Amino acid sequence: MKRKEVEFYIKCLGNSVLYIIRLISYLVPRNKEKWVVGNAKDFCNNTKYFFIYAKDVLHKQNCYWISKNKKCRMELRRLGYKAYHPWSLKGLYHLFTAYIYVYDLRVSALNFWTSGGAKMVNLWHGVGIKNVEFKRKTNIQHTHARFLEFLRRPIAFVKPDLFLSTSPLMTTHFSECFRIPESRCIESEYPRCSIFKKTRKELLQFIETYESQETKRLIGYIEKSTRCFIYMPTWRETNEDFLQKAGFNLPALEEVLSERNEIFLFKLHPFTHIKVDTSQFQHILFLNNRMDIYPILPFTDVLITDYSSIYYDYLLIPEKEIVLFPFDYEEYIAKERDLAFDFNEYTPGVRFYSFNELIDAIHTGRHFPNTKKKWITDMFWKSNRPENLYEAISSRL
């Protein structure tokens, strides 16, 4: 028997204790007024804005944040919220007794093993054109016999009771990806995108209340520049240094930016690892990859991206521009991720396929209007039956 097979069966046996906890969770009475909300990373994404609204606008008392991140829990407690580790005594108590679990990727962000009998609400983390979960052609759930894989990774097979969609197009897409009926989808806006509707005064007040000093300093720096570019590429699962592969010449970029008093922000996926010395640059910043970028985006001017769902979110901010930089399109489609929709049709905009093209456009001060913005926002964000997310969850569950 190969080593990987041995490790696989040991993992299955190790889950036996957890399955006992899982069984107990079905027997504990649940409070229908109690919700638990969480994120596997930090205080960010849809769950962050959902939680803030539930606590500060709806004034829900029985709503608790669950996180393994100690720094995150301490920050939330500073703000007056109740936040617990998923395996602490208080955390287990609330997880065993909460009726609604709200997360944005997998229920493991909270605690799968305590969720028996609870209602699952998946807010997900991005609309877009990629195939995900069961719709992917290269699907990790099928690498072993299905039953054994379920024993090893039952979390991957959890189907939510409600799933946040944003339009009829996305409802059909997500129902296929997660193998759930379309009736389980709630069509509403993403909580994280609600920040784009705030006035400048409201936005600055939000930042002052909820964001870090690092975020506040960055916004001050951005506002001193004449133009701000932000590069947010999607994650490459090969985890190679794709900046080098894309041909980025940072000294040349710094020279062009300094001439125009512009800045260029790199916001890479948290799993991305690159080696670069940033100390020599004044107009190029590599942001903390754990930073919540959504309060910062309204202060930027141009998004540079590729196949990322951030493209569709950024369309919702008035008077912004987008550049597509799919330098590795053929390789990405062949090796990384298959797409559910045609990239050229459903991601319209100015495209550059080399760093030289990109830096030339920056040097000339070129602008990048999107003539199909309304069409694409209607396709991905407009619902024929818009629902209030919070009321819909309460009424349906």
Side-chain angles (χ1 to χ4, degrees):
M1 187 178 292
K2 295 180 180 179
R3 179 180 176 181
K4 287 187 177 181
E5 291 178 342
V6 172
E7 292 175 349
F8 172 74
Y9 289 110
I10 290 175
K11 177 70 173 178
C12 290
L13 291 173
N15 281 347
S16 59
V17 175
L18 295 174
Y19 275 107
I20 295 174
I21 297 174
R22 175 76 172 170
L23 177 62
I24 293 172
S25 73
Y26 280 99
L27 304 176
V28 178
R30 293 189 177 274
N31 179 352
K32 290 192 175 183
E33 298 299 319
K34 182 180 288 189
W35 299 26
V36 285
V37 185
N39 185 297
K41 305 172 190 174
D42 303 299
F43 193 47
C44 62
N45 222 323
N46 282 327
T47 46
K48 168 185 175 176
Y49 296 90
F50 179 92
F51 184 77
I52 289 174
Y53 189 91
K55 296 296 289 183
D56 293 355
V57 179
L58 300 183
H59 305 293
K60 288 188 67 66
Q61 298 300 316
N62 290 333
C63 188
Y64 305 91
W65 186 267
I66 304 296
S67 174
K68 292 181 180 178
N69 187 316
K70 183 177 180 180
K71 183 179 178 182
C72 175
R73 296 196 306 272
M74 292 177 64
E75 179 61 22
L76 283 172
R77 289 169 185 167
R78 183 188 67 80
L79 292 170
Y81 301 134
K82 295 177 181 179
Y84 304 103
H85 191 283
W87 290 106
S88 68
L89 289 177
K90 287 187 177 181
L92 285 170
Y93 169 73
H94 291 302
L95 286 160
F96 271 121
T97 56
Y99 185 67
I100 297 178
Y101 278 46
V102 183
Y103 53 96
D104 57 19
L105 178 58
R106 300 197 189 283
V107 68
S108 55
L110 299 165
N111 193 330
F112 165 76
W113 304 104
T114 61
S115 65
K119 297 297 183 181
M120 306 289 108
V121 180
N122 192 338
L123 302 184
W124 200 233
H125 53 275
V127 305
I129 61 175
K130 299 176 188 173
N131 283 323
V132 298
E133 299 297 306
F134 292 101
K135 201 176 177 183
R136 287 186 61 178
K137 292 180 180 178
T138 54
N139 197 329
I140 59 174
Q141 278 93 349
H142 298 141
T143 55
H144 296 278
R146 186 174 177 83
F147 179 70
L148 291 177
E149 182 62 16
F150 174 80
L151 289 178
R152 189 178 75 93
R153 299 183 68 252
I155 295 168
F157 291 82
V158 172
K159 293 185 178 181
D161 296 280
L162 290 178
F163 190 96
L164 178 56
S165 177
T166 57
S167 71
L169 178 72
M170 287 291 96
T171 293
T172 300
H173 174 58
F174 286 133
S175 69
E176 294 171 351
C177 290
F178 289 86
R179 295 180 181 173
I180 58 175
E182 292 189 9
S183 59
R184 290 195 188 182
C185 291
I186 301 174
E187 290 180 7
S188 183
E189 70 174 3
Y190 270 4
R192 69 186 184 194
C193 294
S194 63
I195 200 168
F196 300 151
K197 296 180 179 180
K198 294 183 182 297
T199 64
R200 176 180 172 83
K201 181 179 179 180
E202 291 170 337
L203 180 57
L204 290 174
Q205 184 177 6
F206 180 94
I207 292 167
E208 183 62 33
T209 303
Y210 299 105
E211 301 307 317
S212 66
Q213 291 300 318
E214 181 183 16
T215 295
K216 296 169 188 175
R217 286 193 297 268
L218 175 61
I219 291 171
Y221 185 67
I222 291 173
E223 293 204 301
K224 293 178 182 178
S225 67
T226 56
R227 200 180 193 194
C228 176
F229 298 86
I230 183 165
Y231 180 40
M232 297 181 64
T234 197
W235 178 49
R236 271 67 170 178
E237 295 183 39
T238 55
N239 208 20
E240 59 184 329
D241 189 340
F242 65 90
L243 293 185
Q244 182 178 6
K245 186 176 181 180
F248 269 87
N249 184 334
L250 296 184
L253 179 59
E254 170 71 19
E255 183 178 353
V256 168
L257 294 169
S258 62
E259 291 175 1
R260 303 179 58 83
N261 189 31
E262 298 174 340
I263 60 174
F264 196 104
L265 309 177
F266 284 85
K267 178 62 169 66
L268 307 180
H269 191 280
F271 293 161
T272 301
H273 301 286
I274 62 169
K275 295 180 179 179
V276 59
D277 178 14
T278 61
S279 60
Q280 58 183 311
F281 306 123
Q282 294 183 336
H283 297 82
I284 299 174
L285 295 177
F286 282 80
L287 305 185
N288 179 347
N289 58 14
R290 295 288 184 181
M291 176 184 287
D292 181 6
I293 198 65
Y294 281 79
I296 298 168
L297 289 177
F299 296 92
T300 65
D301 300 295
V302 183
L303 170 70
I304 302 171
T305 188
D306 40 37
Y307 328 102
S308 173
S309 64
I310 192 63
Y311 169 93
Y312 302 95
D313 291 9
Y314 202 76
L315 286 172
L316 298 176
I317 313 176
E319 301 178 359
K320 302 297 180 184
E321 302 172 21
I322 301 179
V323 174
L324 280 304
F325 187 41
F327 64 89
D328 60 348
Y329 175 76
E330 298 295 338
E331 182 178 348
Y332 183 84
I333 298 303
K335 297 181 180 180
E336 295 273 354
R337 187 70 64 88
D338 52 302
L339 302 182
F341 307 100
D342 181 79
F343 178 64
N344 291 321
E345 181 180 0
Y346 286 87
T347 315
V350 177
R351 284 164 162 70
F352 298 123
Y353 294 91
S354 72
F355 174 74
N356 288 337
E357 291 179 320
L358 178 62
I359 196 172
D360 285 346
I362 294 174
H363 186 259
T364 58
R366 181 175 170 181
H367 288 272
F368 314 98
N370 190 331
T371 58
K372 297 183 179 180
K373 179 176 180 177
K374 185 180 185 307
W375 177 82
I376 207 70
T377 51
D378 286 349
M379 292 296 292
F380 284 87
W381 293 107
K382 189 174 182 179
S383 173
N384 296 324
R385 50 183 180 90
E387 300 180 79
N388 180 292
L389 177 60
Y390 312 91
E391 293 178 358
I393 292 174
S394 298
S395 62
R396 293 204 198 184
L397 299 182

